[in-house]
Structure formats: C-alpha cells, structure tokens
C-alpha cells in the first residue's frame, strides 16, 4: 500500500470544465491506485502581479524548515476557498493549465506531496513537478509522460464489452477559438446521427456539452422538429439537464463525437466503445486536435467521419480499447517513488556521518 486511509490526493479546481475533468480523472486514478481519497481544492494565486515573487519563493522552498512559515506564506500568496490550508496528509497534488502551476508547485513543496501537472508548464520550470503529463496532440518532451488518450473519470473496468451495449450516443461539443464548424454543421450532424442509428437498429441518445451553448442547442432543436426520427433520450446541457458521460456510455457501444472535442472523444474511447469523430469537409484547423485525431485513427481507436463525403461512419474498422488509459502512468509514478526513497536514504546516510 502506498497510502493509508486518511491520506488523500488533491486536485486543483479549474473553471474550464473539460480540462478540470481531465485533471480530476488523473487524480482519481492516482488516488485509487494509492488507496487515498480524492479532494477537490480551489486554490489560486491572489494576483498575477505576485507571480515573479512566487517563482522566486519556489526556488527557496527547500530551505524552509518551519511549518509555521510555510503556512504564513501560503496564506499570503494564495486564495484558499475552503480555508483548509496546507494539509500534511496530502500525498499528491494534481493541476492543469497555467493557473494551477504555481499553487501546485508551492503546495507539493510545502507538504512533501508528489506534484503532478497535466500539460506543459509555462509559468514555472518542469523541475517543480515530479510528473508532467503531456496534453494530447502536443509533441512531448523527454521528461513528459504520454498517455494514449486524455485522462478522464472513465475507467475501462467499469464498462461491459461494447457488444453488450446496444445504444448509440451522439456527443455534441461546440465551437472553440482554435476549432470551429459552420453553424449548419451541428443540426446536420444531429440529423445524420439519427439516420445512422435507425440504419443500425439502435436506440439513439444525444447529449450537448458546456461548450455547445444555447444558440446551437436552439438550432439543433429547431431542426429536430423537422426530422422524421427523434432521439430516445436528449440531454440539453444549456438548459440545466445533467447526465454524465459515464452514465451515457454505460449503454452505448457506438459513439459519435464532434471532432473538436478531445475530452469527449477520449472518454468514449476509454469506455471501450467503437468511436467516430465527425467533421465537415476538413478536420479542425487546430494542429493539436488534428494531431490527436491522426494518432487515434492510426491506433484504430476511432474512425474519422467526413459528413460531406459519407452517409455513415465505418465503425467496423475500429478496435475498441481493452485496457485502462492509466496503465502507462504507473511505471512513471513508481520511478518517482523510487527516486524519493533514494533521496531519503541518501539524506539519512549524510546525517549519520555528520
């Protein structure tokens, strides 16, 4: 056992839903592996103006021995929403994107926890983290761990094989700064997905997402009133309707996802479903997303579906994922623990000589 029952893994909250779910899935996997509970904390630097001083402070954290001083500096630099402060039973801190870098680096250094960051650090050096997990679609450095898909709270062992899951799920993302489709694409995708489900004799479940927005949801609903076929279940996120991807994927052996959503595509793949990524004419312009799609297609984890050229995706070419995305993480985590143990023994030997 790596941890006792009272120990926990902290995941730092982020306002971007998809990125936070990725970080939370990563933290949940580490917690389950270590036998530790998961705690969500909202810890933020009080002001971007404090960044230079905070970076300077991080370079001197190893010299501070006083826990009282560490707690004082934590309160001085960071807004801690729940007011719990530095909890010594934290065994790991997980963060993502720039806003999480400095809080993670400080918290893990102050408590001795393992620091894990999802995405390439931009505000502090890699050396402030024990593990850096590469974002999907980015070219990873030698010091970054590359997962097969984006991490998520979707774990393969909790799902039946895809043959036993008889519905088809359409997961609709939405336009983003680096990846967007014409407005007409979204209702057209909905109509075509309903036709595919009918052709394959499957129930059809449709869900929108936080990025879809009410305007696109309205256009989809308007088109649905004109359609010959209707979904068996419709989840409109913008109207407050909530059903998790994990719940929807439990019965879906086939999944169609709009191609710009790396998070939902990864969740669908992680569940062991056959997955199609849908787009119109050209894949998303974002090099990160395009790289991700090409990598998944090459691994046969999904099929690309160009709605302008094909009436239905070829699900037969997809090889469903039969293992958990987290498996490649454990050798890297074991190396971190072994290095920490080596340092402890080295320090003990030095002190014994002195």
């Amino acid at each position: 056992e790596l941890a006792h029952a009272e120990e926990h893994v902290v995941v730092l909250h982020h306002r971007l839903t998809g990125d936070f779910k990725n970080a939370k899935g990563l933290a949940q996997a580490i917690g389950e592996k270590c036998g530790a509970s998961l705690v969500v904390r909202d810890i933020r630097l009080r002001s971007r103006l404090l960044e230079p001083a905070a970076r300077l402070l991080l370079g001197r954290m190893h010299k501070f021995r006083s826990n009282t001083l560490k707690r004082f500096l934590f309160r001085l630099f960071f807004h801690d929403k729940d007011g719990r402060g530095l909890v010594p039973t934290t065994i790991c801190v997980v963060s993502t994107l720039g806003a999480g870098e400095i809080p993670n680096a400080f918290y893990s250094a102050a408590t001795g926890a393992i620091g894990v960051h999802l995405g390439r650090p931009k505000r502090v050096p890699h050396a402030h983290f024990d593990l850096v997990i590469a974002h999907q679609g980015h070219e990873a450095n030698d010091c970054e761990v590359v997962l097969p898909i984006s991490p998520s709270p979707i774990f393969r062992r909790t799902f039946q094989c895809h043959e036993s899951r008889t519905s088809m799920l359409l997961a609709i993302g939405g336009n983003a700064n680096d990846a967007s489709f014409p407005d007409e694409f979204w209702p057209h995708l909905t109509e075509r997905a309903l036709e595919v489900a009918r052709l394959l004799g499957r129930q059809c479940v449709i869900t929108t997402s936080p990025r879809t927005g009410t305007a696109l949801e309205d256009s989809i609903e308007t088109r649905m009133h004109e359609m010959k076929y209707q979904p068996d279940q419709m989840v409109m996120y913008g109207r407050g309707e909530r059903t998790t991807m994990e719940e929807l994927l439990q019965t879906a052996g086939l999944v169609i996802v709009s191609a710009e959503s790396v998070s939902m595509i990864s969740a669908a793949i992680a569940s062991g479903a056959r997955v199609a990524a849908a787009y119109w004419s050209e894949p998303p312009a974002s090099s990160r997303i395009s790289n991700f799609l090409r990598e998944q297609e090459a691994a046969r984890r999904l099929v690309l579906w160009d709605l302008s050229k094909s009436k239905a995706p070829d699900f037969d070419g997809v090889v469903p994922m039969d293992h958990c995305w987290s498996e490649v993480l454990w050798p890297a985590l074991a190396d971190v623990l072994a290095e920490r143990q080596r340092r402890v023994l080295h320090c003990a030997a030095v002190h014994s000589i002195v």
Side-chain angles (χ1 to χ4, degrees):
E1 290 290 326
L2 298 178
H4 302 295
E6 70 273 10
E7 295 178 325
H8 60 269
V9 174
V10 164
V11 57
L12 299 181
H13 186 269
H14 197 281
R15 62 181 179 80
L16 296 179
T17 303
D19 293 284
F20 175 61
K21 284 183 178 178
N22 295 153
K24 188 175 180 181
L26 183 60
Q28 185 176 338
I30 294 172
E32 290 184 3
K33 186 72 171 179
C34 299
S37 59
L38 177 66
V39 177
V40 178
R41 300 285 302 277
D42 191 343
I43 301 171
R44 307 176 189 183
L45 198 63
R46 290 189 180 276
S47 169
R48 288 291 299 270
L49 296 176
L50 290 173
E51 276 194 16
R55 283 193 290 267
L56 187 65
L57 177 65
L58 289 174
R60 291 165 169 72
M61 284 293 293
H62 65 284
K63 297 182 179 181
F64 301 149
R65 296 289 182 264
S66 168
N67 289 330
T68 301
L69 176 60
K70 292 176 185 177
R71 288 193 292 269
F72 169 76
L73 291 170
F74 179 77
R75 291 193 299 270
L76 180 66
F77 278 85
F78 301 98
H79 170 71
D80 178 16
K81 188 172 183 179
D82 64 16
R84 297 181 62 189
L86 298 172
V87 181
T89 53
T90 305
I91 64 167
C92 181
V93 183
V94 178
S95 58
T96 189
L97 302 180
E101 292 177 25
I102 293 176
N104 185 337
F106 184 96
Y107 194 110
S108 55
T111 61
I114 295 170
V116 179
H117 187 71
L118 176 58
R120 182 167 300 165
K122 297 179 180 179
R123 301 183 186 180
V124 298
H126 277 64
H128 285 296
F129 303 101
D130 296 285
L131 281 179
V132 173
I133 312 298
H135 268 314
Q136 290 296 313
H138 286 169
E139 185 175 347
N141 294 334
D142 292 339
C143 59
E144 296 174 352
V145 178
V146 179
L147 302 178
I149 53 177
S150 291
S152 73
I154 306 295
F155 302 107
R156 183 65 188 87
R157 67 180 182 277
T158 64
F159 291 85
Q160 295 181 323
C161 64
H162 69 94
E163 292 94 342
S164 303
R165 293 144 60 187
T166 56
S167 67
M168 190 191 84
L169 172 66
L170 169 62
I172 299 172
N175 292 323
N177 292 333
D178 59 350
S180 61
F181 297 110
D183 288 345
E184 182 60 22
F185 167 76
W186 306 100
H188 189 60
L189 169 61
T190 305
E191 184 172 13
R192 294 284 291 278
L194 284 165
E195 292 172 354
V196 170
R198 178 179 175 276
L199 180 67
L200 298 176
R202 291 189 175 237
Q203 290 188 333
C204 185
V205 178
I206 300 176
T207 183
T208 61
S209 66
R211 198 171 62 244
T212 308
T214 54
L216 286 181
E217 288 184 345
D218 288 344
S219 69
I220 290 169
E221 187 174 51
T222 298
R223 176 67 66 86
M224 285 176 56
H225 288 316
E226 304 168 356
M227 294 178 190
K228 189 175 181 180
Y229 313 109
Q230 297 295 313
D232 296 272
Q233 181 183 356
M234 183 78 193
V235 180
M236 289 285 200
Y237 193 95
R239 300 180 183 178
E241 299 169 3
R242 298 290 184 270
T243 304
T244 66
M245 279 290 286
E246 184 173 10
E247 292 173 305
L248 295 173
L249 288 167
Q250 289 292 341
T251 59
L254 303 178
V255 184
I256 298 173
V257 187
S258 54
E260 90 299 335
S261 181
V262 172
S263 292
M264 290 199 297
I265 290 172
S266 294
I269 292 173
S271 75
R274 295 186 188 272
V275 181
Y279 61 93
W280 183 266
S281 184
E282 295 288 342
S286 164
S287 59
R288 175 183 66 87
I289 297 175
S290 295
N291 290 341
F292 168 75
L293 293 174
R294 284 195 296 268
E295 290 166 5
Q296 301 308 315
E297 183 184 37
R300 298 181 66 189
R301 298 190 189 108
L302 60 70
V303 60
L304 296 178
W305 181 27
D306 182 354
L307 272 68
S308 70
K309 297 179 180 178
S310 174
K311 291 185 177 181
D314 181 14
F315 285 110
D316 292 337
V318 179
V319 178
M321 199 168 183
D322 61 359
H323 58 280
C324 188
W325 56 263
S326 63
E327 288 187 8
V328 301
L329 181 64
W330 309 135
L333 185 60
D335 289 343
V336 168
L337 294 171
E339 175 61 19
R340 288 201 163 206
Q341 182 66 16
R342 186 194 67 77
R343 291 176 186 174
V344 169
L345 293 175
H346 174 74
C347 290
V350 169
H351 286 306
S352 66
I353 294 173
V354 173

